[in-house]
Amino acid sequence: MPGYYRSIAAAVLLVFGTLSPVHASGADQQPNASLELPFPAKAPLVVQIQGVERLRERVLKLLGTLPPAERNEIGEQLEKGWKAAVAGRSFKAISENGRVYVVVHDFTRLTDDVVPISVLIPVTSAAEFRATFLSDAERKTIEKGSRGVDSLRFSMAGREHVLFTVDLKDHVVLTPDKAIAELYVGNYTRARTTTMGSDVSQSFLETDVALYLNMEVVNETHGEDIRDFKALIDFALEQLGMNEVIPGLDKRQLEAATSLIVHVFQAVEDCQALVLAASIRPDGVHARMQVRFREACRTSDLLRTEKPTPLGDFVRLPGRMDSYTAMGFGPRFGQMYRSFSLPFQAGPGDEAGATLIQKGQTELAAAGPGVSYRCERHQGSMQITAYRSPEKALAAEVKLYRGLTAGTRIESVVLKDAPRVAEAASKHRGITFAEIHLVRDFEATVAGLPEPSREAALAILRRSGRERSTLWLGSDGKVVFRLTAHDWVAAEKLLDAYLDGTGAVGSDPGFRTTRQHLPAEATLIALFETQASVKSILDYTRDTLGAFPNDVPPIAQPADVKAEPSYLGVALTLKPQGVTLDLFVPTKSLNVAARMLAPLFKALN
């Protein structure tokens, strides 16, 4: 697996793993205002859609960025589905920018004949809604009930169903459960944005579509089930450790994985709310996962020292690379991240090697690692890491490489020979570099895997790296540079591009577009060039499917597309009491991906 995918996977696993209810817009609303929402405060799950017709128009506009053939085909199917769903109903009584809420009231009853769900539709008036949205046949079935709970009948899939309705003035409630309808006419406690938390409520209310999971209610009603599941995971990890059935995973990494599982379940227990949200913007699609924790809990204490940063040198990295990563964990999460993503593993039974690696990692941690930047492509990479004591970090890493032996794993790949280390081998721009030659053994790396998956894993290794490579390590007294390239001349060019700022990725329009849709300050940011990412994903999929029987359809190579670089973007932000994961996919990436993949899908039809 390439280093940048490994970094992102480790970071994501590390952490786990508005407006008035009807008419106001996000720009007009005070973000810290306390707003009352129409659904019950104790509802475990709520989905909101801000303006059904508006969302439909945005989806159609997004489709306009696709190639003509795909745009027309998908657009026709969506329009056909929309007309079938609407079936001649009028939306004029539904508030144009109002929010539709779909509320799940009880997870334990979702398999019942009467599902505990309600739908809250924003309306100008309940009378006008009935007169314009309902069909003639449905209006004729309306029966007045007691305390404002009315009912109507409608047919679907050849069966007649009953819906109960309640007029909340700004919303009409529709539910198949009479008890839920009676809840809405009672003196129920409504949800408030202050209870949700300002960040969470803003993500929930100011996006096109969002899901809100009330984790306090979930923990209250399903806490025992969660604890039972944790006990099952603990038992499985214990068995794996006893039987050593995970190739390439040493004892310390298994301990780190176990510690991570503990933190994940603790986070679930400490969690107040989780929001999944998505918005269609003029130049792309933005998605977000946001988690909020209780103020006084173990997880909030762990996050207490985390402070997002601008990661400003990100834009200085050389352009035309396949991936870009910047990260700046605080001291506690930084230590956890390093323990989970250990790049070095001693060979089986190599106690001296394990001691050497542990000592080297301790010395690197003592040097005070800070913000790190990395860019990578198949031909080479550059990583720049700030340290409080960069010279000590450099000396510790060179010493570590000098002590490694054959059989050691670097990024899970077995070394065929001990590294050849030449200190002070090269000098450029006043920086002295150590030169480290590595020879990997791909065959030995996959030897412990089951036969069906061995060839697939070997193909992935050969595709993502070379068995022989050279690493240059050097420091300018502020940071440590790690360069990989075909030769020293190519490594010099990478270094010059960064130091001189020539051809920096920050001047790339595609990079700037994606970066501006991610948080200005974050803990980790990663951008992946679209064409390189699509090809890499298909390569991995093709190699993996190669382990299955021959009746699996082969995946052809995607078409090369003539287009300026565009980037998929991911950002992870850690703050006291909260974790946010942002994803942005620009419309240009959607266009490029569609042009690359269209011939593959046509070949399968």
Side-chain angles (χ1 to χ4, degrees):
M1 179 181 286
Y4 55 90
Y5 286 130
R6 184 184 305 280
S7 297
I8 301 307
V12 171
L13 284 172
L14 176 62
V15 291
F16 287 56
T18 63
L19 309 138
S20 74
V22 179
H23 300 289
S25 67
D28 299 328
Q29 181 58 45
Q30 296 294 327
N32 294 323
S34 177
L35 300 175
E36 186 177 75
L37 304 175
F39 54 85
K42 286 290 188 178
L45 186 148
V46 182
V47 175
Q48 77 85 11
I49 304 171
Q50 187 174 175
V52 174
E53 183 65 26
R54 187 186 78 159
L55 177 60
R56 172 177 168 268
E57 291 174 355
R58 290 189 175 192
V59 170
L60 292 176
K61 189 173 182 179
L62 180 67
L63 289 177
T65 65
L66 298 178
E70 287 70 29
R71 176 180 65 231
N72 295 336
E73 183 176 351
I74 298 174
E76 288 175 5
Q77 293 299 321
L78 287 178
E79 280 297 297
K80 184 178 179 180
W82 173 256
K83 289 179 181 179
V86 171
R89 300 179 189 274
S90 171
F91 277 66
K92 72 177 187 178
I94 298 178
S95 303
E96 183 177 353
N97 292 322
R99 293 182 185 80
V100 175
Y101 296 100
V102 180
V103 185
V104 176
H105 295 263
D106 188 346
F107 288 150
T108 63
R109 293 177 48 219
L110 286 177
T111 57
D112 290 359
D113 291 336
V114 178
V115 184
I117 290 178
S118 61
V119 180
L120 282 62
I121 302 176
V123 296
T124 54
S125 76
E128 187 177 5
F129 171 77
R130 291 179 177 183
T132 59
F133 185 82
L134 300 181
S135 67
D136 291 339
E138 290 165 350
R139 283 194 295 272
K140 291 177 182 179
T141 67
I142 294 176
E143 295 182 6
K144 290 288 184 180
S146 61
R147 298 179 60 212
V149 177
D150 300 336
S151 66
L152 62 90
R153 298 177 183 274
F154 72 101
S155 297
M156 185 175 67
R159 292 182 58 189
E160 188 176 71
H161 302 268
V162 177
L163 282 180
F164 298 93
T165 71
V166 175
D167 180 7
L168 295 182
K169 305 305 181 185
D170 286 336
H171 287 79
V172 166
V173 179
L174 301 176
T175 175
D177 191 321
K178 187 175 182 180
I180 290 175
E182 291 173 343
L183 166 69
Y184 280 103
V185 298
N187 188 23
Y188 70 98
T189 302
R190 296 192 175 200
R192 299 195 67 89
T193 55
T194 47
T195 304
M196 297 169 70
S198 60
D199 288 352
V200 167
S201 62
Q202 193 168 1
S203 295
F204 178 65
L205 294 173
E206 295 187 1
T207 48
D208 291 335
V209 180
L211 179 151
Y212 166 66
L213 189 63
N214 189 333
M215 287 300 298
E216 289 187 319
V217 174
V218 171
N219 279 308
E220 182 181 319
T221 56
H222 299 280
E224 186 174 345
D225 295 332
I226 294 171
R227 287 188 289 273
D228 288 344
F229 184 66
K230 178 183 180 298
L232 180 63
I233 296 295
D234 289 342
F235 175 76
L237 285 174
E238 182 180 350
Q239 294 303 306
L240 290 174
M242 291 173 60
N243 297 306
E244 299 181 350
V245 295
I246 309 180
L249 191 66
D250 65 18
K251 181 180 178 181
R252 285 201 299 156
Q253 286 187 309
L254 184 59
E255 290 174 351
T258 303
S259 175
L260 175 64
I261 295 296
V262 171
H263 284 296
V264 168
F265 278 98
Q266 184 65 55
V268 171
E269 183 179 328
D270 295 339
C271 187
Q272 280 186 311
L274 181 148
V275 167
L276 300 174
S279 288
I280 299 175
R281 299 176 178 178
D283 46 5
V285 179
H286 176 266
R288 167 173 289 179
M289 182 184 78
Q290 191 165 42
V291 183
R292 178 181 174 83
F293 302 102
R294 290 183 286 109
E295 184 173 358
C297 65
R298 293 182 183 179
T299 305
S300 290
D301 182 61
L302 184 64
L303 289 165
R304 181 170 43 83
T305 59
E306 294 301 314
K307 184 178 180 181
T309 61
L311 301 171
D313 276 2
F314 203 24
V315 297
R316 293 181 55 196
L317 295 173
R320 301 288 172 170
M321 304 291 276
D322 293 342
S323 70
Y324 297 87
T325 307
M327 63 178 70
F329 288 107
R332 298 180 71 179
F333 260 91
Q335 182 178 355
M336 290 176 60
Y337 172 78
R338 288 188 295 275
S339 66
F340 184 74
S341 59
L342 286 175
F344 304 101
Q345 298 166 250
D350 185 3
E351 295 298 330
T355 301
L356 171 78
I357 290 171
Q358 185 170 8
K359 183 178 179 181
Q361 295 288 4
T362 301
E363 291 175 351
L364 280 169
V371 174
S372 179
Y373 301 94
R374 182 182 177 89
C375 58
E376 186 168 357
R377 62 187 175 207
H378 187 69
Q379 296 84 359
S381 67
M382 176 168 65
Q383 182 172 331
I384 306 154
T385 306
Y387 287 90
R388 287 195 308 269
S389 303
E391 297 299 339
K392 290 183 179 179
L394 176 62
E397 190 161 2
V398 172
K399 179 183 175 182
L400 178 55
Y401 273 105
R402 186 178 289 281
L404 297 180
T405 59
T408 302
R409 289 177 180 260
I410 298 182
E411 293 185 345
S412 299
V413 181
V414 175
L415 287 180
K416 181 177 288 187
D417 302 312
R420 289 192 294 110
V421 180
E423 297 188 41
S426 306
K427 190 170 184 177
H428 186 65
R429 306 284 291 266
I431 304 173
T432 301
F433 286 85
E435 187 173 280
I436 301 165
H437 296 274
L438 301 173
V439 181
R440 297 173 176 85
D441 191 337
F442 290 167
E443 296 281 353
T445 301
V446 304
L449 297 177
E451 180 63 36
S453 59
R454 195 175 303 160
E455 286 300 318
L458 188 59
I460 290 172
L461 286 173
R462 287 172 174 164
R463 195 184 300 278
S464 60
R466 300 188 303 275
E467 288 191 304
R468 294 178 179 271
S469 64
T470 305
L471 168 68
W472 289 272
L473 295 175
S475 174
D476 64 353
K478 298 177 182 178
V479 300
V480 172
F481 294 95
R482 297 175 178 87
L483 308 173
T484 63
H486 281 308
D487 52 36
W488 175 238
V489 174
E492 285 179 321
K493 289 181 179 179
L494 279 176
L495 184 62
D496 287 338
Y498 172 76
L499 294 177
D500 296 334
T502 56
V505 72
S507 62
D508 187 325
F511 185 96
R512 291 203 307 270
T513 294
T514 299
R515 180 65 187 92
Q516 71 183 7
H517 284 280
L518 299 175
E521 296 186 343
T523 306
L524 179 149
I525 299 176
L527 273 70
F528 307 99
E529 201 281 320
T530 306
Q531 292 204 56
S533 297
V534 170
K535 289 179 180 179
S536 180
I537 291 170
L538 289 178
D539 287 342
Y540 280 118
T541 304
R542 186 185 304 107
D543 293 335
T544 301
L545 290 178
F548 291 87
N550 294 329
D551 57 353
V552 177
I555 299 176
Q557 290 290 342
D560 287 324
V561 173
K562 186 177 180 180
E564 289 299 311
S566 59
Y567 299 86
L568 314 172
V570 179
L572 176 69
T573 307
L574 305 182
K575 294 181 179 179
Q577 277 194 267
V579 174
T580 304
L581 183 67
D582 289 279
L583 168 68
F584 182 73
V585 181
T587 54
K588 290 184 178 179
S589 290
L590 294 173
N591 180 281
V592 167
R595 290 158 62 192
M596 294 177 69
L597 297 175
L600 276 65
F601 288 115
K602 289 178 181 177
L604 293 175
N605 293 333

